[in-house]
Amino acid sequence: MNAAPRIQTTAGRLAALGFADGARAERLLDELGPEAVGDFALLDDIVRAADPDLALTTLSRLVERDASVLGAFRDDPDLRRRVLGVFGLSAALGEHVVRHPECLPSIRSPRWPTLGDLREEMLVAVGADPDAAEPVAEPATEGGAAGPGTSGPAMEALRVAYRNRLLHLATRDVTGECTLAEAAAALADLASAALEAALAIARAEVADAGDVRLAVIGMGKCGARELNYISDVDVVFVAEPKEGVDETKALQTATRLAQGMMRACSASTPEGALWEVDANLRPEGKMGPLVRSMESHLAYFRRWAKTWEFQALLKARPVAGDLELGQEYVAAVNELVWQAAARPHFVEDVQAMRRRVEAHVPAGEADRQIKLGPGGLRDIEFAVQLLQLVHGRSDPLLRRRATLSALAALSRGGYVGRDDAKALAEAYTFLRQVEHMLQLHRLRRTHMVPSDTADLRRLGRGLGMTTDPVGEFTTTWKRHALEVRRLHEKLFYRPLLQAVARLPETEARLSTAAATARLEALGYADPEGALRHIAALTSGVSRRAAIQRTLLPVMLGWFADAPDPDAGLLGFRQVSDKLGTTPWYLRLLRDETAAADRLARLLGTSKYVTGLLLHAPEAVAMLGSPAELAVRPAATLAAEAAAAVGRYAEDAETAVAAVRALRRRELFRTACADLSGLIDIEEVGQALSSLNDVTIQAALDTAINKVTLERRAPFPTRMAVIAMGRLGGLESSYASDADVMFVHAPLPGSVERDAAVAAHAVAEETRRLLALPAPDPPLQIDAGLRPEGRQGPLVRTIASYRAYYDRWASHWEAQALLRARFCAGDAELGREFVALVEPLRYPAEGISADAVREIRKLKARMEAERLPRGADPALHTKLGRGGLSDVEWVAQLIQLRHAGAVPVLRTTRTLDALRAAAGEGLLDPADEEVLARAWLFASRIRDALMLVRGRAADSIPTPVKERVLLARALGYPPEGTEDFVEDYRRATRRARAVVERVFYEG
């Protein structure tokens, strides 16, 4: 049985044609009258609009206001096509036409007026004489322009005239009669004309306006003649007194003129506002004077301006007012602009600019921002402007204001590859077209791609995408954004490879001088050396060289972002030389972006990490994911170390070499996790201390085995290693020695003398094995805290320790024992030792007043005598004021006085002791917070010094470069070095105040 034929309604047919609401469209067409319903050409033009429903709605409202419009549209199909095209994109311009239908005849001309024509038109609109040297708005007449103090009608007239021309331009834009560049230039010219008219309004209100020459300098997109449909218009003002006029009075007059001009553009009227005039790019920004003389501008730029200010001046152009003065200003500042890349802090300023751009993206909006988001307009503009600053010093052909023309010049000069320039230009054009359509809809300043399907459909159809407007638009937009981000990352670096590697001559190359200039501008201190490394890595036809050519454009950027780009590139070359033929290495870096990124940043930050990696380059494999950098459990490491010792039982040095290789690998893992922000400083101390415990245990086992084999008799005693100092407190740093004491207990039936000799041999062998010259970092065993110090026996029996402590123990030894902890050897013996020293370090009644005074005197003497000669007490992290020693002595004094009665204080860890003291009311919580902050800061600096320099140090370095590297490793921006030093001074100054009160007076 055949299905009945489907009868399609008019509403259904309209929906099929593209209307979102077919029934409503049918009703509106009926209301237009039978002539409109039968006018298929009219319907066809409505359907072709980006939003047919919006176009029809606006047309319906217009016909209600002026029924003659339909006849005009029938008589002039070109006018109809233009107007309906705008109606389908811009509700705001449609509203303007409904309010002012008389504007329609003015847009019939396909020709766009010249800047002079626009200026004349806007001036006439406000009642000013276009031929006057300094046009002034006429006094108000009925329906005309305003006189002094009554500028409202003139402002309204300016807005109507401006929007009439904006409508005209939109009709040309929508119908494809002008390119993006032509539309943007026309918008800038229209803005210039409006500014001139606004200045004429201001002159009518300001007495003595003729006493001063005032030039309005367009900046940003206005200066570059690439303006948006709705945007803040960036300007700066420069003024000079006319002959015989006092400069101060002239500048005051110019300031009133500038304020009046800005108000004439931004004030709200029944016809709305034009746009904000933004003068924040002036010297000193909002804090600086609105108007300056030429001399004042130049004095500021010569002495105080930052690189971003010269970047802004790339686009400076006279747009209104005294154009001759404006040209003089632009000529003067251009001489400074093109030397900006040679300034001392150019690199730091560039990095700060990049961070500023990224910081301006509101949280949650980045994925929909076509201006500031990843792969957005700012990525293209920033890259182009930076390349102009770097290479425009020596190549005047790059000195262009507009982005697309500058990009074309960079391509012609070989500074950007032709294919890359083409892709960037296409993306820029697409994104600007989207930006224009977004802003046209409501004439609002926006850069956000909407999420609403109807809005996305309007954008897609406006771009000519009719099959699947939403899907096609989204796909195209994302493709361009990804391509822009990729090209932004490689734009500075790909040409460097062509400059030094023997690649096919497919396009112009950078000269060696240009490549050197670019590297220097990006932060490489030795650009010639960097070029040699790049050449060594990428030259040739091997698979390795081919992959390096793919990797390096991105990695060079990551090196440039690191504290020490030169060290990063050198380290990468060294690691690649060792691993370049290993199949997985380059594949890992090519396929795992996170691994390559992390490697670049680590090599460019830490000589310590680089040194570890060069002796075990296979450790690169663990950079693939954060999970690989997680600290491994001590039990797992102990089992691995024990297996290594067992494998080489007959060869002690080989066995401990294997254990030290394990330690090197785990040091690398911990350092990488530390520098990547995956663990904090307390976790670092815990990880390093546990690793040292495992290493000492393995070395002790190896030594016992060796001594036993040499004696050819069973080992006659039990041995334990007691951790002291930072090792005992589980607070080891990368540079820490292992402070320990050795204790033994002869086995029943053994000869005590024989046991002592064997124990001493094991202790010495343990120390020797861990300190042997080797590629792996040594672990120095320091037993200087034992009874009688270096004069006493290296190993004692537990009975000997008991006898010594009962009779001879001093207060400092009791204090040192606060950190005593079993770390290796016989666990039961370790527990016995800890139990032995408990009454000494935690006296039941606390310590006497005499003992407290003695401890304070000892501390004061240490401060006076142990600080290295020439060291700044405010910057020495260990012995300086408010440093580690200060905080630790406070914690230890509290423990000596109270731990006997307060068990929670019985800990070897400094911060745990302070927290417990605050919890028990023995220390003010605010004081605990101050002390902990200083201790953590000082500990981070000591570790960072070792990581950055590859050697131990306790003081914040004096050389500026070293301070910068240290500050960067600690997370400060390039310009934040002094902030870092001041933060440390502040933290330790506050801590020292607490120490003075709690330790010395409490």
Side-chain angles (χ1 to χ4, degrees):
M1 185 175 180
N2 293 331
R6 178 180 297 174
I7 300 174
Q8 192 174 27
T9 64
T10 301
R13 287 195 295 273
L14 290 171
L17 287 172
F19 289 95
D21 187 342
R24 184 171 180 276
E26 181 182 10
R27 177 173 57 80
L28 290 176
L29 285 169
D30 287 341
E31 290 174 359
L32 290 176
E35 291 184 5
V37 173
D39 189 343
F40 293 109
L42 173 68
L43 181 60
D44 189 45
D45 283 338
I46 294 174
V47 168
R48 287 179 180 173
D51 185 342
D53 297 86
L54 177 60
L56 179 57
T57 299
T58 306
L59 176 62
S60 175
R61 293 182 59 214
L62 179 60
V63 169
E64 283 182 18
R65 179 74 183 270
D66 183 356
S68 67
V69 167
L70 288 176
F73 279 1
R74 257 193 321 275
D75 295 340
D76 190 341
D78 184 60
L79 175 66
R80 179 185 67 224
R81 180 172 55 87
R82 290 163 172 269
V83 172
L84 291 176
V86 172
F87 282 2
L89 267 179
S90 179
L93 286 177
E95 178 67 28
H96 176 76
V97 175
V98 170
R99 286 203 315 274
H100 301 282
E102 69 278 4
C103 72
L104 286 177
S106 66
I107 63 174
R108 281 196 168 105
S109 170
R111 187 186 71 84
W112 179 252
T114 65
L115 175 59
D117 293 338
L118 290 171
R119 178 178 178 274
E120 179 177 348
E121 187 176 318
M122 296 300 122
L123 287 170
V124 168
V126 301
D129 179 4
D131 296 324
E134 294 180 339
V136 180
E138 293 295 328
T141 58
E142 186 176 351
T150 56
S151 57
M155 289 185 189
E156 290 182 41
L158 174 60
R159 283 148 178 72
V160 172
Y162 178 87
R163 293 217 171 83
N164 286 347
R165 275 301 168 198
L166 199 67
L167 173 69
H168 181 196
L169 177 60
T171 63
R172 299 184 72 244
D173 193 2
V174 168
T175 54
E177 294 170 24
C178 63
T179 65
L180 169 72
E182 290 169 341
L187 286 164
D189 289 348
L190 182 55
S192 296
L195 288 171
E196 193 70 70
L199 187 55
I201 294 173
R203 287 196 185 102
E205 297 178 336
V206 175
D208 303 324
D211 289 349
V212 64
R213 300 171 66 197
L214 176 65
V216 184
I217 309 300
M219 306 287 282
K221 285 184 165 57
C222 178
R225 296 186 78 229
E226 50 185 10
L227 200 62
N228 296 328
Y229 272 95
I230 187 71
S231 175
D232 289 354
V233 173
D234 295 309
V235 301
V236 295
F237 298 100
V238 59
E240 292 293 329
K242 289 193 175 176
E243 188 174 350
V245 178
D246 176 72
E247 182 175 310
T248 301
K249 181 175 180 255
L251 288 176
Q252 291 171 346
T253 301
T255 300
R256 291 195 298 275
L257 280 172
Q259 291 169 336
M261 188 203 80
M262 295 170 73
R263 185 169 57 253
C265 293
S266 60
S268 180
T269 74
E271 289 293 336
L274 290 183
W275 13 254
E276 290 292 325
V277 178
D278 189 342
N280 290 337
L281 291 176
R282 66 186 184 268
E284 299 180 82
K286 292 180 180 179
M287 308 305 294
L290 182 63
V291 182
R292 288 177 183 255
S293 67
M294 175 90 76
E295 182 181 353
S296 177
H297 272 280
L298 296 178
Y300 172 85
F301 289 130
R302 290 185 180 118
R303 186 168 185 184
W304 303 110
K306 290 184 167 48
T307 301
W308 71 263
E309 293 178 276
F310 292 110
Q311 185 175 359
L313 286 169
L314 278 171
K315 299 182 180 294
R317 177 178 65 94
V319 293
D322 191 316
L323 298 181
E324 183 180 350
L325 176 60
Q327 292 290 3
E328 293 173 11
Y329 174 86
V330 171
V333 297
N334 273 346
E335 293 182 12
L336 303 175
V337 166
W338 299 111
Q339 297 304 315
R343 291 160 56 87
H345 301 294
F346 179 76
V347 176
E348 292 84 350
D349 286 346
V350 166
Q351 292 169 331
M353 281 189 285
R354 291 175 65 179
R355 283 192 300 277
R356 190 180 296 115
V357 168
E358 292 170 1
H360 281 174
V361 183
E365 292 186 5
D367 290 343
R368 293 167 52 215
Q369 263 271 3
I370 61 169
K371 179 179 179 181
L372 300 177
L377 290 164
R378 187 65 85 234
D379 270 359
I380 302 172
E381 292 163 352
F382 182 89
V384 169
Q385 290 163 23
L386 182 55
L387 288 175
Q388 284 181 279
L389 286 173
V390 172
H391 299 296
R393 295 164 60 190
S394 56
D395 189 345
L397 295 177
L398 301 182
R399 300 176 185 180
R400 312 295 178 93
R401 292 189 181 98
T403 302
L404 288 176
S405 61
L407 183 57
L410 286 165
S411 177
R412 286 193 296 271
Y415 304 101
V416 178
R418 284 196 296 270
D419 291 342
D420 291 350
K422 180 182 177 183
L424 284 172
E426 289 176 354
Y428 185 78
T429 301
F430 174 83
L431 293 171
R432 286 297 305 275
Q433 287 173 331
V434 173
E435 184 180 45
H436 280 187
M437 284 191 286
L438 287 170
Q439 295 177 350
L440 266 174
H441 184 50
R442 299 287 181 190
L443 283 186
R444 291 177 183 165
R445 186 170 178 264
T446 180
H447 309 284
M448 291 284 292
V449 175
S451 55
D452 182 74
T453 301
D455 291 332
L456 292 172
R457 179 173 179 267
R458 183 182 65 253
L459 289 173
R461 286 174 58 92
L463 290 166
M465 302 168 181
T466 55
T467 304
D468 176 16
V470 175
E472 289 181 61
F473 167 75
T474 303
T475 300
T476 306
W477 167 43
K478 294 297 185 184
R479 174 172 57 80
H480 279 303
L482 286 172
E483 182 69 357
V484 167
R485 195 60 175 176
R486 183 184 71 82
L487 291 173
H488 175 77
E489 290 173 342
K490 75 171 250 189
L491 194 57
F492 303 108
Y493 307 106
R494 179 70 188 180
L496 295 171
L497 274 61
Q498 293 174 319
V500 298
R502 294 178 180 175
L503 302 181
E505 296 263 7
T506 56
E507 52 191 42
R509 296 174 181 266
L510 284 183
S511 68
T512 301
T516 300
R518 185 175 299 192
L519 283 167
E520 186 175 10
L522 292 163
Y524 289 83
D526 179 14
E528 291 86 359
L531 287 174
R532 288 194 297 271
H533 297 321
I534 294 169
L537 286 163
T538 60
S539 295
V541 296
S542 66
R543 178 178 177 275
R544 170 186 171 186
I547 296 178
Q548 294 282 24
R549 288 195 289 270
T550 302
L551 286 170
L552 268 181
V554 176
M555 294 197 72
L556 284 168
W558 289 330
F559 293 138
D561 287 337
D564 192 341
D566 300 85
L569 181 55
L570 172 61
F572 181 66
R573 179 182 175 184
Q574 291 170 328
V575 173
S576 295
D577 285 346
K578 286 180 175 288
L579 283 178
T581 57
T582 308
W584 58 265
Y585 166 63
L586 291 174
R587 186 170 61 246
L588 170 74
L589 298 184
R590 182 192 63 197
D591 299 340
E592 298 287 344
T593 303
D597 185 1
R598 190 171 284 120
L599 175 64
R601 296 181 194 278
L602 289 169
L603 293 175
T605 302
S606 174
K607 290 183 179 179
Y608 182 77
V609 165
T610 302
L612 292 173
L613 191 57
L614 289 178
H615 292 298
E618 66 279 358
V620 168
M622 69 175 68
L623 299 179
S625 73
E628 285 291 322
L629 297 178
V631 175
R632 300 177 69 198
T636 303
L637 296 177
E640 188 174 344
V645 170
R647 265 196 315 274
Y648 305 107
E650 302 297 323
D651 186 343
E653 293 186 2
T654 302
V656 172
V659 173
R660 286 175 61 181
L662 179 154
R663 179 171 178 267
R664 176 197 57 216
R665 184 194 70 203
E666 296 308 314
L667 285 172
F668 176 78
R669 191 192 309 273
T670 303
C672 292
D674 184 3
L675 288 167
S676 301
L678 301 176
I679 54 177
D680 61 29
I681 191 64
E682 287 191 82
E683 292 170 314
V684 170
Q686 174 78 55
L688 295 176
S689 300
S690 297
L691 179 58
N692 288 344
D693 287 356
V694 167
T695 305
I696 294 169
Q697 179 69 65
L700 182 70
D701 290 342
T702 302
I704 290 174
N705 184 59
K706 179 180 179 182
V707 170
T708 300
L709 290 173
E710 289 174 349
R711 286 167 48 87
R712 298 183 181 179
F715 193 64
T717 187
R718 294 182 298 147
M719 284 193 70
V721 182
I722 307 301
M724 302 288 285
R726 299 186 74 80
L727 177 61
L730 296 169
E731 297 160 354
S732 293
S733 69
Y734 297 104
S736 291
D737 292 344
D739 290 313
V740 304
M741 294 195 298
F742 293 99
V743 59
H744 80 107
L747 293 171
S750 62
V751 177
E752 186 169 329
R753 172 64 181 167
D754 184 46
V757 170
H760 182 84
V762 165
E764 288 286 17
E765 182 65 7
T766 300
R767 297 170 71 187
R768 186 188 75 85
L769 290 170
L770 291 176
L772 281 173
D776 305 306
L779 179 58
Q780 300 290 347
I781 301 295
D782 187 343
L785 291 175
R786 65 186 184 268
E788 302 176 80
R790 302 189 187 282
Q791 304 304 312
L794 181 61
V795 186
R796 288 177 182 261
T797 65
I798 194 163
S800 176
Y801 276 107
R802 181 178 290 110
Y804 175 85
Y805 289 139
D806 285 345
R807 186 172 183 182
W808 303 109
S810 64
H811 297 301
W812 77 262
E813 287 178 303
Q815 185 178 348
L817 287 169
L818 286 168
R819 293 187 166 206
R821 173 183 66 83
F822 166 74
C823 75
D826 188 289
E828 184 180 349
L829 180 58
R831 286 192 293 271
E832 289 178 31
F833 181 90
V834 170
L836 164 67
V837 300
E838 290 284 284
L840 184 62
R841 61 180 177 173
Y842 307 138
E845 303 299 325
I847 56 175
S848 67
D850 288 342
V852 172
R853 280 194 296 273
E854 186 177 333
I855 290 171
R856 288 171 175 166
K857 287 180 182 178
L858 178 60
K859 175 73 167 70
R861 191 167 74 247
M862 287 178 58
E863 290 178 14
E865 297 175 359
R866 291 188 57 189
L867 194 68
R869 180 178 298 176
D872 184 346
L875 299 179
H876 198 280
T877 60
K878 182 177 180 181
L879 301 174
R881 294 189 291 267
L884 296 171
S885 179
D886 267 4
V887 177
E888 290 163 1
W889 280 62
V890 170
Q892 290 160 14
L893 182 58
I894 293 173
Q895 288 178 294
L896 289 170
R897 299 174 81 175
H898 302 288
V902 184
V904 73
L905 287 172
R906 298 172 189 175
T907 174
T908 63
R909 308 192 70 173
T910 302
L911 295 187
D912 285 352
L914 292 174
R915 291 165 185 147
E920 294 295 320
L922 300 171
L923 182 66
D924 188 292
D927 289 342
E928 181 270 326
E929 184 179 346
V930 168
L931 292 172
R933 184 181 298 117
W935 189 91
L936 289 167
F937 204 164
S939 296
R940 288 182 62 217
I941 291 172
R942 284 188 85 203
D943 273 5
L945 282 164
M946 182 67 176
L947 289 170
V948 169
R949 304 170 76 186
R951 62 182 188 277
D954 290 316
S955 282
I956 294 175
T958 301
V960 173
K961 181 179 179 181
E962 291 190 23
R963 279 194 179 182
V964 170
L965 296 178
L966 179 62
R968 293 287 305 279
L970 290 166
Y972 285 82
E975 68 276 14
T977 303
E978 291 310 310
D979 291 338
F980 150 63
V981 176
E982 184 52 39
D983 287 349
Y984 180 72
R985 288 181 184 273
R986 185 184 304 111
T988 52
R989 188 167 56 244
R990 292 174 178 173
R992 181 63 181 191
V994 174
V995 173
E996 296 282 358
R997 178 163 38 81
V998 175
F999 183 83
Y1000 285 110
E1001 299 173 9

